[in-house]
Each structure stands twice: as C-alpha cells, then as structure tokens.
Amino acid sequence: MRAALWFAATVLLSACVTEPLHEEQPDPACRDARSPEFVVCQFYGRYLTLQPEGLPGEIALDVLSPFITPELESLLYATFDARERYVADYPERPVPLAEGALFMRNFVPARQFTVLRRVPIDRDRVGVEVGMRGDSSQWRELVVLRLTREGFLVDDIHFGGAGADEGTLRRRLP
C-alpha cells in the first residue's frame, strides 16, 4: 500500500513541472532535450516545486532520480538511511540535514532559476552555471553533469558557481 501511494504521488508530482518556474516563456537553454541545460531545467523545475526541507524524503528523491546519476542517488539514499538511524539512536538531538535547501548554497531556498552558461570540465563531465533567486538574495550554483548511457545526469553541485569553492553537495553528505 505504501509503495502504491509513493508511486501515485511520484507520478502526480513529476507531471506538475516541465518548464522552469515563474517563466512565461521557457528559458531558451531549456528547450533542447538532449542538452545538459535541459536536464538542469528539469531537475530544478521539479526541486523548486517540491521545496523539500533539508534532505529530501523518499518521494522527492523518486521524483528527482531520473535526473541524477545512480551514484549520487545511492549516496542520497545512504544519507537518508543514516539520518533515520541517527534519529532512532538520538531522538532528543536535532536531526541532521533537516532544514533548508540541501541542493543550494547555505541551505537558502530559491524561488526561481536561470541557466547562465555551460562550463566544460572534462571529456565525460560538463558544468552548467545556474543563477538562483530567493526572496531577498541572488547567487550562483555550478551543476556538474556526467555523461551516462542515459544521457547527461546531475552528479554534483558546486555551491557559489564556477570558480568558487564554497563546498559541494557530495561533501555535505556523510
């Protein structure tokens, strides 16, 4: 029953967003379905619609999983499991990764995004710099995508944009 409810919620949520949020015309960078920019648009379009706090739950991860590498997905599920064990072992302590936007710098949630530019990394990886806008701030993230058999998939996020060293998503995860 639980699996059926997750599946139904996943289908409903994944059908909600196919274009970037708050845009009357989709970002031109998001139109080519084979491009890394398109994957970033699909990922953030769904993520911003879900607005999960901290580490996304299983339903949110199911919605985002078509856009992330299997390795990153495994790391996120392992982090989810580790957090559940922590909560069981230490119910009186604050829950790690429980607040804020995990996929964004300083856990600040964004309301809108714009694809800015592609940044070559190496033969199998490319970065896509994304401009984020929150309620009262703007910043940049560099989404690192890896070329897989399924096409480009999100493999990491460098917080602060290209050239910045404000940490990465993978370093946040235990």
Side-chain angles (χ1 to χ4, degrees):
M1 179 69 167
R2 184 176 174 192
L5 288 174
W6 280 355
F7 179 74
T10 300
V11 170
L12 288 172
L13 287 172
S14 67
C16 291
V17 177
T18 58
E19 301 294 339
L21 297 177
H22 308 293
E23 301 266 354
E24 290 186 23
Q25 293 295 318
D27 187 332
C30 299
R31 291 184 183 159
D32 180 3
R34 297 175 313 265
S35 73
E37 293 86 354
F38 181 82
V39 174
V40 169
C41 290
Q42 295 298 305
F43 174 81
Y44 276 118
R46 284 166 176 78
Y47 182 72
L48 295 182
T49 298
L50 292 169
Q51 296 183 347
E53 281 289 314
L55 181 66
E58 289 185 53
I59 293 173
L61 287 177
D62 285 345
V63 170
L64 298 173
S65 68
F67 309 104
I68 61 177
T69 60
E71 296 81 8
L72 181 57
E73 181 179 17
S74 293
L75 184 57
L76 289 166
Y77 275 107
T79 303
F80 184 79
D81 292 342
R83 186 181 72 174
E84 293 301 311
R85 287 191 304 276
Y86 181 90
V87 169
D89 292 344
Y90 306 102
E92 71 285 349
R93 293 189 184 166
V95 179
L97 299 175
E99 297 179 9
L102 179 66
F103 294 98
M104 295 181 192
R105 184 188 77 178
N106 298 327
F107 296 98
V108 175
R111 301 289 173 236
Q112 290 182 291
F113 69 93
T114 304
V115 171
L116 300 173
R117 66 186 174 118
R118 185 183 298 192
V119 180
I121 296 175
D122 60 32
R123 193 188 75 172
D124 295 332
R125 295 181 309 144
V126 65
V128 174
E129 192 165 31
V130 180
M132 299 292 196
R133 288 182 294 280
D135 289 335
S136 61
S137 60
Q138 295 183 23
W139 66 96
R140 293 178 179 205
E141 311 288 13
L142 181 70
V143 182
V144 177
L145 297 103
R146 188 165 43 86
L147 185 58
T148 69
R149 283 182 270 148
E150 293 80 29
F152 283 101
L153 297 173
V154 175
D155 195 48
D156 203 357
I157 300 171
H158 292 225
F159 303 115
D165 189 23
E166 295 184 32
T168 70
L169 173 62
R170 284 179 176 264
R171 286 188 208 150
R172 277 188 183 168
L173 304 174

